[in-house]
Amino acid sequence: MTSRSPGIHDTSPADIAGSPLHAVLQQPFLLGLFLPIQSGGWSPSQLPRTTNWNFDYNKQLTLTAEAQGFDLVFGLAEWNPKGGYGGQIRYREHSIDPFMTTAALSAVTSRILLISTLHILYGPWHPLHLARFGASLDLISGGRWGLNMVTGNQDSYARMFGAPQIEHDTRYRMAEEFVDLLKRYWLDDQQINFQGEFWSSEAGWVAAKPRYGRPLLVNATGSQAGIDYAARHSDLVFITSPAGAEIEAALEALPAHTARIRAAAALQQRTLRTLINPMIICRPTEQEAWDYYHAIVAAQDVVAVDNFFASAQKRDSQAFLGHQRDQKIVGGNIQLVGSPEQIVQYLLRLQQAGCDGVQLTFYDYAPDLAYFGEAVLPLMKQAGLRL
């Protein structure tokens, strides 16, 4: 068995005309939907809503988003204990797996990109497993499948799999080797002999190759190690606001943050697109939107909010360091509250701050997504954000 060989030439599907990723990148501003595949969605509030974690509900959301012209959907990956984050609503106790969910969605959709979030360092995962599964999903979906590879930032998740938490930057070294091997399985036309620090493979081979070289690769990060990883490997990076969820503070902090990410990609002679996650609270008037916002906050499940915030503070992730306890009630990495016209102005300002797109969350998903399509999307087109 040979040692690690020099990296192969990695052509992103973004650069291949005819690929689904190349097609969506013709949009001035990318539009994604963060599916609520966990109970309680993003808001530990007891205000009544339709939001549901089951597959049928999320399938209908995906079909609605696809009909509205959204570019991508994906879901959260968590390994929560019995009771979730607690409270009366047992926040996020229940969920369906995002990898299985996007696989199932590939059979009922035709255009939208489907991104699976997967913890690659838990359990006996080998890159060969994921290379084969991913190539299959890529072919089944017509090149619409992508991977959001996460390393795990919560000690309890790792212990659930019988292992101690791995140090932050070491996790990214492991992810680097994992994705190097993944890409070789997808792109090499020879069997793979590989001896790395963390994985090895003798005569490894995946015969069913992805349609456009390799699938779309994504990661979510706020740390320097994560940004450096994204610059070398990712097509999209899910970013957070370094200044918390309040929109004006976020807009002040984001230009330097997005510039830093672009500079890291430029050093690798690559283009990296950034997406941020707003919670959209939109009603016909600003007053109605804020009334909706305050109703969500007033109905908070105090125990669930406290536990969720405490959990976030204990993680070694750097992505949410600026977030405050009360910002967890409504949820979202940033919060956009207002009339349709105001929401579009916020989206324009996010674009000006260096964001290439958004992946949206809502409180009451089905009706709120329908209203977004009816009232906000036409204004986005008028503003030049969408074609």
PDB file of all heavy atoms in Angstrom, residues 73 103 231 273 279 288 321 326 349 382:
ATOM      1  N   VAL A  73     -32.441  22.759  -0.775  1.00  0.00           N
ATOM      2  CA  VAL A  73     -32.965  22.467   0.562  1.00  0.00           C
ATOM      3  C   VAL A  73     -31.956  21.593   1.293  1.00  0.00           C
ATOM      4  O   VAL A  73     -31.195  20.843   0.679  1.00  0.00           O
ATOM      5  CB  VAL A  73     -34.335  21.747   0.551  1.00  0.00           C
ATOM      6  CG1 VAL A  73     -35.419  22.637  -0.026  1.00  0.00           C
ATOM      7  CG2 VAL A  73     -34.263  20.422  -0.199  1.00  0.00           C
ATOM      8  N   ALA A 103     -32.270  11.681   0.428  1.00  0.00           N
ATOM      9  CA  ALA A 103     -32.344  10.532  -0.483  1.00  0.00           C
ATOM     10  C   ALA A 103     -33.781  10.299  -0.931  1.00  0.00           C
ATOM     11  O   ALA A 103     -34.056  10.094  -2.124  1.00  0.00           O
ATOM     12  CB  ALA A 103     -31.783   9.285   0.203  1.00  0.00           C
ATOM     13  N   ALA A 231     -12.104  26.715   1.890  1.00  0.00           N
ATOM     14  CA  ALA A 231     -11.383  27.308   0.770  1.00  0.00           C
ATOM     15  C   ALA A 231     -10.769  26.247  -0.126  1.00  0.00           C
ATOM     16  O   ALA A 231     -10.668  26.434  -1.349  1.00  0.00           O
ATOM     17  CB  ALA A 231     -10.300  28.247   1.283  1.00  0.00           C
ATOM     18  N   ARG A 273     -18.845  30.382  -2.475  1.00  0.00           N
ATOM     19  CA  ARG A 273     -20.058  31.178  -2.237  1.00  0.00           C
ATOM     20  C   ARG A 273     -20.518  31.007  -0.796  1.00  0.00           C
ATOM     21  O   ARG A 273     -20.478  29.905  -0.241  1.00  0.00           O
ATOM     22  CB  ARG A 273     -21.178  30.739  -3.170  1.00  0.00           C
ATOM     23  CG  ARG A 273     -21.127  31.336  -4.567  1.00  0.00           C
ATOM     24  CD  ARG A 273     -20.244  30.552  -5.487  1.00  0.00           C
ATOM     25  NE  ARG A 273     -20.334  31.046  -6.873  1.00  0.00           N
ATOM     26  CZ  ARG A 273     -19.697  30.490  -7.890  1.00  0.00           C
ATOM     27  NH1 ARG A 273     -18.912  29.425  -7.701  1.00  0.00           N
ATOM     28  NH2 ARG A 273     -19.819  30.990  -9.103  1.00  0.00           N
ATOM     29  N   MET A 279     -34.006  33.870   9.921  1.00  0.00           N
ATOM     30  CA  MET A 279     -35.387  33.582  10.267  1.00  0.00           C
ATOM     31  C   MET A 279     -36.223  34.721   9.699  1.00  0.00           C
ATOM     32  O   MET A 279     -35.965  35.894   9.976  1.00  0.00           O
ATOM     33  CB  MET A 279     -35.558  33.503  11.777  1.00  0.00           C
ATOM     34  CG  MET A 279     -37.004  33.458  12.255  1.00  0.00           C
ATOM     35  SD  MET A 279     -37.941  31.990  11.760  1.00  0.00           S
ATOM     36  CE  MET A 279     -37.216  30.734  12.814  1.00  0.00           C
ATOM     37  N   GLU A 288     -47.549  44.399  12.034  1.00  0.00           N
ATOM     38  CA  GLU A 288     -48.035  43.015  12.104  1.00  0.00           C
ATOM     39  C   GLU A 288     -46.878  42.033  12.255  1.00  0.00           C
ATOM     40  O   GLU A 288     -46.980  41.030  12.979  1.00  0.00           O
ATOM     41  CB  GLU A 288     -48.847  42.685  10.857  1.00  0.00           C
ATOM     42  CG  GLU A 288     -50.195  43.368  10.767  1.00  0.00           C
ATOM     43  CD  GLU A 288     -50.854  43.130   9.416  1.00  0.00           C
ATOM     44  OE1 GLU A 288     -50.409  43.711   8.401  1.00  0.00           O
ATOM     45  OE2 GLU A 288     -51.820  42.334   9.384  1.00  0.00           O
ATOM     46  N   LEU A 321     -20.801  32.409  18.729  1.00  0.00           N
ATOM     47  CA  LEU A 321     -20.277  33.032  19.938  1.00  0.00           C
ATOM     48  C   LEU A 321     -20.970  34.350  20.269  1.00  0.00           C
ATOM     49  O   LEU A 321     -21.071  34.726  21.432  1.00  0.00           O
ATOM     50  CB  LEU A 321     -18.767  33.260  19.795  1.00  0.00           C
ATOM     51  CG  LEU A 321     -17.912  31.983  19.709  1.00  0.00           C
ATOM     52  CD1 LEU A 321     -16.449  32.347  19.541  1.00  0.00           C
ATOM     53  CD2 LEU A 321     -18.113  31.103  20.933  1.00  0.00           C
ATOM     54  N   ASP A 326     -31.879  35.306  24.489  1.00  0.00           N
ATOM     55  CA  ASP A 326     -33.213  35.596  23.970  1.00  0.00           C
ATOM     56  C   ASP A 326     -33.293  35.471  22.453  1.00  0.00           C
ATOM     57  O   ASP A 326     -34.385  35.307  21.896  1.00  0.00           O
ATOM     58  CB  ASP A 326     -33.674  36.987  24.412  1.00  0.00           C
ATOM     59  CG  ASP A 326     -34.036  37.027  25.891  1.00  0.00           C
ATOM     60  OD1 ASP A 326     -33.981  35.953  26.550  1.00  0.00           O
ATOM     61  OD2 ASP A 326     -34.349  38.114  26.390  1.00  0.00           O
ATOM     62  N   ARG A 349     -29.194  44.230   1.413  1.00  0.00           N
ATOM     63  CA  ARG A 349     -28.078  44.641   2.258  1.00  0.00           C
ATOM     64  C   ARG A 349     -27.181  43.453   2.617  1.00  0.00           C
ATOM     65  O   ARG A 349     -25.960  43.610   2.743  1.00  0.00           O
ATOM     66  CB  ARG A 349     -28.607  45.327   3.514  1.00  0.00           C
ATOM     67  CG  ARG A 349     -29.293  46.679   3.220  1.00  0.00           C
ATOM     68  CD  ARG A 349     -29.909  47.275   4.473  1.00  0.00           C
ATOM     69  NE  ARG A 349     -28.876  47.660   5.440  1.00  0.00           N
ATOM     70  CZ  ARG A 349     -29.139  47.988   6.706  1.00  0.00           C
ATOM     71  NH1 ARG A 349     -30.404  47.964   7.157  1.00  0.00           N
ATOM     72  NH2 ARG A 349     -28.162  48.317   7.520  1.00  0.00           N
ATOM     73  N   GLN A 382     -37.973  41.989  -8.793  1.00  0.00           N
ATOM     74  CA  GLN A 382     -37.934  43.398  -9.177  1.00  0.00           C
ATOM     75  C   GLN A 382     -36.643  44.057  -8.727  1.00  0.00           C
ATOM     76  O   GLN A 382     -36.105  44.945  -9.412  1.00  0.00           O
ATOM     77  CB  GLN A 382     -39.130  44.131  -8.569  1.00  0.00           C
ATOM     78  CG  GLN A 382     -40.467  43.773  -9.155  1.00  0.00           C
ATOM     79  CD  GLN A 382     -41.616  44.483  -8.465  1.00  0.00           C
ATOM     80  OE1 GLN A 382     -41.426  45.552  -7.862  1.00  0.00           O
ATOM     81  NE2 GLN A 382     -42.811  43.926  -8.529  1.00  0.00           N
TER      82      GLN A 382
END
